[in-house]
């Protein structure tokens, strides 16, 4: 027997989120392309299904972190352009028609050499440093890009950078201006690739839109900061009650005895723990939904089990549904709620829960 932990993905809502972002872009800057980010298995939603959804809606690029993620997409028949963000893979790029992001000259040179061997010209995007301190050309980017452009068998299709404090307007403006300077410099040399820097949060700065944007989180229904883009979560995570026990007042629950019942209590046990990405930091903090009511997680979350206080719930039975993330009746628990309880960010919550649960897709 396997545990019941299910992530239900609503593909209609996923498509709707994509459309909402497209519609916003059409209003702000119709020429702006969309690079849908599907790294980390599409933030736990399943990269293949998400890619198919965006492909059907005419996405310009799919963005993955590593080569293997791109390979899986190609093997499942995805034909869209794929931007590979963080990988020095050479051969696989050619065999699978990928667009690599180049972050140093050495990598560019190797790609050019391989392209020459194959008698072709490879389109690439070049990454420049503007304040993220992660990857990208830092020293004299305009010159460095020119040198890469001089490599015979590469064509610079795009120049990109990444926002590091997208909630800070001034800092973001500073990063945007650095990228604009590089754009202006390259124009003088007749180089006019597309430029992109905006992640989801960056969509709300009009001058960060450039020629393309790279939304991730917002595709999955989180991170919109105003009503200009209305997205909704598309993942519901559920389990079922494994056991229900009536326990007296003063009874310690779970490791460390961090919770003691204050009254005679009905304690439910669910077959989910930190092994499933239900973070241990949620101990004594999280709520779950049972029969349309919110109830608290009590005691420390174990590797495979978690206890919940069902005392207030009428007629609750073994095998009843427990919603860890999602909605029922008027009650709702979002990845943001869970992130707050666990002192993390919704990105991590989606990936933790979405990647361990059995996924079920609904239309
Ligand atoms: C993850 C990532 C994104 C998407 O960021 P969100 O905040 O999820 O929209 C965009 N660009 C790069 C380079 C990334 O690594």
């Amino acid at each position: 027997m396997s545990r019941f932990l299910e992530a239900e993905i609503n593909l209609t809502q996923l498509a709707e989120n994509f459309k909402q972002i497209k519609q916003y872009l059409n209003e702000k800057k119709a020429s702006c392309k969309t690079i849908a980010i599907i790294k980390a298995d599409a933030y736990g939603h399943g990269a293949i299904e998400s890619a198919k959804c965006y492909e059907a809606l005419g996405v310009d690029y799919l963005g993955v972190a590593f080569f293997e993620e791109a390979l899986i997409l190609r093997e499942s028949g995805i034909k869209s352009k794929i931007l590979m963000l963080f990988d020095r893979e050479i051969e696989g790029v050619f065999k699978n028609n990928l667009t690599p992001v180049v972050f140093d000259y050495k990598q560019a040179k190797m790609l050019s050499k391989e392209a020459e061997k194959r008698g072709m010209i490879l389109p690439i995007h070049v990454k420049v440093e503007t304040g993220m301190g992660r990857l990208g050309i830092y020293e004299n980017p305009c010159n460095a890009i020119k040198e890469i452009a001089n490599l015979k068998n590469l064509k610079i299709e795009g120049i990109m950078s990444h926002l590091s404090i997208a909630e800070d307007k001034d800092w973001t403006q500073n990063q945007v201006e650095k990228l604009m300077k590089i754009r202006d410099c390259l124009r003088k040399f007749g180089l006019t690739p597309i430029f992109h820097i905006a992640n989801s949060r960056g969509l709300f700065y009009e001058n960060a839109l450039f020629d393309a944007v790279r939304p991730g989180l917002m595709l999955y229904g989180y991170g919109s900061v105003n009503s200009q883009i209305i997205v909704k979560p598309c993942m519901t995570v559920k389990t079922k009650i494994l056991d229900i026990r009536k326990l007296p007042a003063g009874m310690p629950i779970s490791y460390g005895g961090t919770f003691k019942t204050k009254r005679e209590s009905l304690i439910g046990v669910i077959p989910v723990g930190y092994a499933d990405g239900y973070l241990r930091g949620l101990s004594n903090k999280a709520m779950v939904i049972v029969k349309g009511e919110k109830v608290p997680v009590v005691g420390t979350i174990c590797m495979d089990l978690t206890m919940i206080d069902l005392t207030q719930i009428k007629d609750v039975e073994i095998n009843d549904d427990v919603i860890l993330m999602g909605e029922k009746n008027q009650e709702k628990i979002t990845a943001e709620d869970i992130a707050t309880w666990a002192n993390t960010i919704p990105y991590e919550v989606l990936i933790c829960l979405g990647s361990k649960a059995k996924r079920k897709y609904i239309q």
Side-chain angles (χ1 to χ4, degrees):
M1 200 190 130
S2 61
R3 86 181 84 222
F4 182 87
L5 177 66
E6 184 177 272
E8 191 181 271
I9 315 289
N10 182 335
L11 290 172
T12 307
Q13 188 57 51
L14 193 71
E16 183 57 29
N17 292 345
F18 181 89
K19 288 183 204 161
Q20 286 289 328
I21 293 170
K22 279 304 275 186
Q23 192 184 321
Y24 168 84
L25 290 172
N26 273 338
E27 283 162 21
K28 297 287 174 194
K29 194 166 188 177
S31 61
C32 195
K33 294 179 191 300
T34 315
I35 303 167
I37 301 295
I38 55 171
K39 58 192 191 199
D41 216 358
Y43 295 46
H45 293 65
I48 295 169
E49 289 78 3
S50 303
K52 284 183 179 161
C53 171
Y54 308 143
E55 184 166 87
L57 295 168
V59 71
D60 297 293
Y61 284 91
L62 298 164
V64 300
F66 306 113
F67 170 64
E68 281 191 349
E69 300 172 65
L71 185 61
I72 289 167
L73 296 178
R74 285 288 182 251
E75 283 172 350
S76 0
I78 295 293
K79 298 279 187 296
S80 303
K81 287 189 178 186
I82 300 179
L83 194 63
M84 182 180 75
L85 295 167
F86 315 129
D87 204 313
R88 291 184 184 274
E89 172 68 29
I90 304 286
E91 251 193 50
V93 161
F94 293 88
K95 285 188 179 153
N96 297 283
N97 187 23
L98 309 180
T99 310
V101 170
V102 167
F103 36 86
D104 64 20
Y105 186 74
K106 200 170 142 201
Q107 186 192 4
K109 208 154 172 208
M110 287 175 79
L111 285 164
S112 183
K113 217 170 121 191
E114 183 67 23
E116 190 181 352
K117 233 173 41 189
R118 292 167 184 261
M120 61 171 290
I121 291 177
L122 178 73
I124 60 164
H125 289 218
V126 178
K127 189 164 199 175
V128 293
E129 175 65 64
T130 58
M132 175 68 183
R134 193 167 71 176
L135 286 173
I137 295 166
Y138 175 63
E139 270 177 75
N140 206 339
C142 184
N143 265 339
I145 293 165
K146 263 190 294 161
E147 275 176 36
I148 293 173
N150 283 337
L151 291 168
K152 278 202 313 285
N153 295 73
L154 298 184
K155 175 181 169 17
I156 301 180
E157 181 181 83
I159 305 283
M160 67 175 284
S161 195
H162 192 47
L163 298 177
S164 60
I165 320 178
E167 59 282 8
D168 182 326
K169 198 168 156 242
D170 295 335
W171 179 261
T172 298
Q173 181 60 24
N174 187 277
Q175 285 195 271
V176 165
E177 279 168 17
K178 281 184 184 160
L179 193 61
M180 282 173 172
K181 272 210 186 101
I182 295 169
R183 182 182 60 184
D184 295 343
C185 175
L186 287 174
R187 270 189 189 151
K188 288 190 199 127
F189 299 99
L191 291 172
T192 55
I194 62 164
F195 285 77
H196 47 101
I197 191 168
N199 66 339
S200 296
R201 190 68 168 78
L203 295 180
F204 297 99
Y205 300 100
E206 281 185 42
N207 59 1
L209 298 180
F210 287 91
D211 310 301
V213 294
R214 304 189 307 268
L217 188 66
M218 220 187 284
L219 288 167
Y220 309 101
Y222 290 94
S224 183
V225 295
N226 63 38
S227 57
Q228 289 189 83
I229 309 179
I230 297 168
V231 291
K232 291 190 188 139
C234 19
M235 186 196 296
T236 298
V237 179
K238 282 188 230 174
T239 185
K240 287 181 188 296
I241 298 175
L242 174 70
D243 200 8
I244 300 175
R245 307 164 69 225
K246 192 186 261 183
L247 297 171
M251 179 83 183
I253 303 292
S254 193
Y255 291 119
T258 58
F259 178 88
K260 273 201 181 78
T261 52
K262 288 174 195 64
R263 52 185 174 175
E264 187 182 71
S265 300
L266 265 193
I267 301 296
V269 183
I270 54 175
V272 178
Y274 58 79
D276 309 286
Y278 202 55
L279 301 164
R280 194 167 173 277
L282 294 168
S283 300
N284 288 310
K285 298 219 169 86
M287 307 287 283
V288 298
I289 300 171
V290 179
K291 302 192 100 177
E293 283 187 59
K294 273 190 191 170
V295 302
V297 163
V298 291
T300 310
I301 291 171
C302 308
M303 189 182 290
D304 293 286
L305 299 172
T306 295
M307 273 60 85
I308 55 179
D309 188 349
L310 296 171
T311 314
Q312 71 187 69
I313 309 292
K314 278 204 187 78
D315 304 325
V316 62
E317 286 175 32
I318 287 170
N319 268 330
D320 279 350
D321 277 346
V322 178
I323 297 175
L324 306 179
M325 185 169 80
E327 294 183 48
K328 181 88 182 195
N329 301 348
Q330 306 307 318
E331 296 295 351
K332 181 158 129 183
I333 293 169
T334 66
E336 271 151 6
D337 295 330
I338 297 175
T340 305
W341 295 327
N343 195 20
T344 181
I345 52 176
Y347 297 76
E348 193 181 15
V349 170
L350 291 174
I351 288 164
C352 281
L353 288 175
S355 54
K356 296 285 168 57
K358 236 182 231 130
R359 288 196 206 104
K360 179 177 144 194
Y361 290 91
I362 59 164
Q363 289 292 339

